[in-house]
């Protein structure tokens, strides 16, 4: 679930030596599954471990994860990097903002997951987003744009050259097309 590099494990062991016996680390997500999701690491005293927590054993400590954070920390990585600027603990959790779906989930869920995890972060740079409205029986996914994408002069290019190509490539044999049902109106929120 969570990969912790050897350098990060050594860093945690040194930090935990100064804590009471039996203290571990807790890895968590605040506001999981939302655009404002944030990951964190804290000390976890033995009396703070809940019955529903997952304990991941590492050399010299365990990483404790609460039940709510677990699906959002799939594929998370913790590293401790030292360079000319100093040392830094890094936590990458690609699924913190979006709950990862299984490979055998329904097609609509897999398409929405891919949009949320890969496409919407790019559109967010321009204040936009896109969501699945429908997946029809012919394999056409119907999308609706929002935010800065609604009324953007580049929306057709974004749809045809970006999103449609990526979706048809990723879901080859399952999707046959992509359709936009947004009524695009220019406004102050649009990116030009």
């Amino acid at each position: 679930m969570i990969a912790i590099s050897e350098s990060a494990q050594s860093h945690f062991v040194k930090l935990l030596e100064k804590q009471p016996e039996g203290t571990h680390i807790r890895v968590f997500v605040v506001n999981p599954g939302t655009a404002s999701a944030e990951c964190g690491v804290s000390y976890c005293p033995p009396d703070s471990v809940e019955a529903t927590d997952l304990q991941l054993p590492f050399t010299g400590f365990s990483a404790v994860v609460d039940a709510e954070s677990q699906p959002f920390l799939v594929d998370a990585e913790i590293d401790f990097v030292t360079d000319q600027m100093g040392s830094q603990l890094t936590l990458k959790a690609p699924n913190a903002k979006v709950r990862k779906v299984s490979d055998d989930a329904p097609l609509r869920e897999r398409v929405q997951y891919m949009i949320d995890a890969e496409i919407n972060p790019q559109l967010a740079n321009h204040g936009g987003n896109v969501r699945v409205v429908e997946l029809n029986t012919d394999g056409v996914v119907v999308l609706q744009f929002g935010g800065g994408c609604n009324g953007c002069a580049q929306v057709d290019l974004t749809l045809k050259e970006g999103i449609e190509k990526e979706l048809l490539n990723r879901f080859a044999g399952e999707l046959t097309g992509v359709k936009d049902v947004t009524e695009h109106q220019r406004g102050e929120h649009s990116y030009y």
Side-chain angles (χ1 to χ4, degrees), residues 123 130 143 145 148-166 178-185 191:
L123 295 178
V130 67
L143 302 176
F145 287 89
C149 291
N150 184 7
C152 174
Q154 298 297 315
V155 75
D156 288 337
L157 183 65
T158 300
L159 178 66
K160 292 295 179 192
E161 294 301 316
I163 297 171
E164 183 175 56
K165 277 187 177 180
E166 186 63 29
V178 178
K179 182 179 176 186
D180 176 16
V181 296
T182 312
E183 289 186 31
H184 291 282
Q185 299 168 353
Y191 181 79

Side-chain angles (χ1 to χ4, degrees), residues 33-138:
T34 69
S36 61
E38 301 236 355
C39 299
V41 178
S42 66
Y43 293 118
C44 182
D47 60 349
S48 302
V49 178
E50 302 288 331
T52 56
D53 286 343
L54 175 65
Q55 292 190 52
L56 304 169
F58 291 93
T59 305
F61 68 95
S62 289
V64 180
V65 182
D66 64 272
E68 184 182 13
S69 294
Q70 289 174 23
F72 300 95
L73 288 170
V74 171
D75 300 329
E77 298 175 7
I78 300 176
D79 196 6
F80 186 70
V81 181
T82 302
D83 59 21
Q84 65 271 21
M85 301 297 286
S87 299
Q88 179 178 333
L89 189 66
T90 62
L91 197 158
K92 296 178 184 172
N95 299 301
K97 294 181 188 307
V98 182
R99 178 186 289 232
K100 186 166 184 169
V101 298
S102 66
D103 292 339
D104 62 351
L107 180 58
R108 180 177 174 152
E109 287 180 31
R110 290 183 286 130
V111 170
Q112 186 64 61
Y113 170 76
M114 187 249 177
I115 287 171
D116 289 339
E118 298 176 31
I119 295 172
N120 276 337
Q122 295 174 45
L123 295 178
N125 291 332
H126 304 288
N129 60 69
V130 67
R131 68 181 179 88
V132 175
V133 174
E134 174 187 351
L135 178 61
N136 70 30
T137 56
D138 296 330

